[in-house]
Amino acid sequence: MTEARGAAGPNGETPAGHTPGTPCWVSLMVHDLAATEEFYGELFGWEFRPGSQQLGPYVRALLDGREVAGLGRLPPEHHLSTAWTPYFASQNADRTAESVRSCGGTIGVGPLDAADAGRLAIGSDPSGAVFGVRQAAAHLEASVSGVPGALAWNELLTYESASVAKFYRTVFGHEEEPVVSAGSDYVTLRRDGRPVAGIHGLGHALPCDRGPHWVTYFQVADVDDALERLLRLGGSVLEPARDTTRGRSATVADPEGARFALLRRQH
């Protein structure tokens, strides 16, 4: 599999390559594709080009000509809520899908070939959080990281971290680094010593209307400026800007309700 750069860790560490288990892609299925392109294009400066139409209308978002994310249109008869889905790299999507099933997860789509995007599958972990598996095509382009508008981090919000972290460790070979802090249930997932994602156990504080779910963080130059722009474009603020160990961040939603986070890293 061709190596490409992955998202940086929570404190700006050197980005990891797309070794197995590394988040390598993120996609969003929506009802109004044109309006969604306009929203994210204005918010992050993304440009778009057509992608594989195998599963319906689909575009790839670009920054400086390099791929950042994918946007697709849901079939009109599907009245599903919209959500960003992170994909983890795999050398063999079929084998990874079998591992997901054997470890208590489910596979809802695929594995299937998606033209030059490679071989894909979409599933959920034992807690119900949805994620994707991507086996890269032979000539996958390098992704972009470390600049505003690029993927910065992925974090799973769930009830408790221990059992879910075991699932991701078994399926993707992640190493676990628990955060030792009173009243905190957080595990950083690592590959080859590099942080690639986080798992945050919230217990009963997890929103009942959402259940366990992955949150995608996008990098911005200034969180407060980005929030003003987001509101002007019809988005909403779910959690106001705050300073965290990762940097300054805020949780937001696009006009269709897809949740994501904005992050300005600490230097």
Side-chain angles (χ1 to χ4, degrees):
M1 182 177 70
T2 301
E3 293 293 313
R5 292 193 302 166
N11 297 307
E13 296 88 349
T14 303
H18 285 171
T19 52
T22 300
C24 61
W25 187 244
V26 65
S27 70
L28 174 66
M29 300 298 289
V30 299
H31 300 283
D32 189 334
L33 184 55
T36 301
E37 287 183 47
E38 183 177 353
F39 172 82
Y40 286 101
E42 290 289 333
L43 182 63
F44 292 137
W46 291 354
E47 298 177 336
F48 302 91
R49 72 178 179 200
S52 170
Q53 308 297 301
Q54 182 176 351
L55 300 178
Y58 190 84
V59 297
R60 294 179 183 174
L62 309 175
L63 267 179
D64 296 326
R66 291 188 290 172
E67 296 184 353
V68 182
L71 302 177
R73 191 175 72 198
L74 288 165
E77 66 274 14
H78 288 198
H79 303 290
L80 302 173
S81 58
T82 60
W84 281 99
T85 301
Y87 284 72
F88 293 90
S90 169
Q91 290 182 321
N92 187 314
D94 295 83
R95 194 174 301 156
T96 300
E98 285 302 317
S99 181
V100 168
R101 294 188 184 100
S102 66
C103 292
T106 60
I107 295 294
V109 177
L112 53 82
D113 292 321
D116 58 351
R119 191 159 176 79
L120 310 176
I122 299 176
S124 58
D125 65 28
S127 74
V130 175
F131 64 93
V133 175
R134 188 185 195 191
Q135 178 183 338
H139 302 291
L140 182 67
E141 293 183 20
S143 57
V144 61
S145 63
V147 298
L151 176 65
W153 186 243
N154 286 287
E155 186 169 279
L156 173 59
L157 302 184
T158 188
Y159 294 109
E160 56 85 27
S161 66
S163 62
V164 183
K166 181 180 179 181
F167 168 84
Y168 287 96
R169 181 185 73 229
T170 306
V171 173
F172 294 110
H174 291 138
E175 304 135 9
E176 300 173 34
E177 181 188 11
V179 172
V180 181
S181 175
S184 177
D185 179 13
Y186 195 94
V187 171
T188 298
L189 299 178
R190 292 175 172 265
R191 279 289 297 184
D192 301 328
R194 295 182 176 134
V196 296
I199 299 177
H200 193 181
L202 295 176
H204 295 299
L206 188 71
C208 298
D209 62 329
R210 289 286 297 169
H213 62 282
W214 282 94
V215 177
T216 297
Y217 285 71
F218 292 103
Q219 189 161 318
V220 293
D222 186 290
V223 172
D224 299 280
D225 286 348
L227 287 177
E228 289 184 14
R229 191 160 60 252
L230 174 132
L231 290 171
R232 189 170 64 250
L233 294 168
S236 55
V237 178
L238 305 179
E239 295 180 13
R242 64 198 186 283
D243 294 318
T244 70
T245 56
R246 288 179 297 275
R248 189 162 179 78
S249 69
T251 304
V252 298
D254 67 20
E256 286 201 17
R259 302 184 182 204
F260 60 100
L262 306 172
L263 175 66
R264 183 183 186 278
R265 294 189 179 282
Q266 292 179 330
H267 294 294

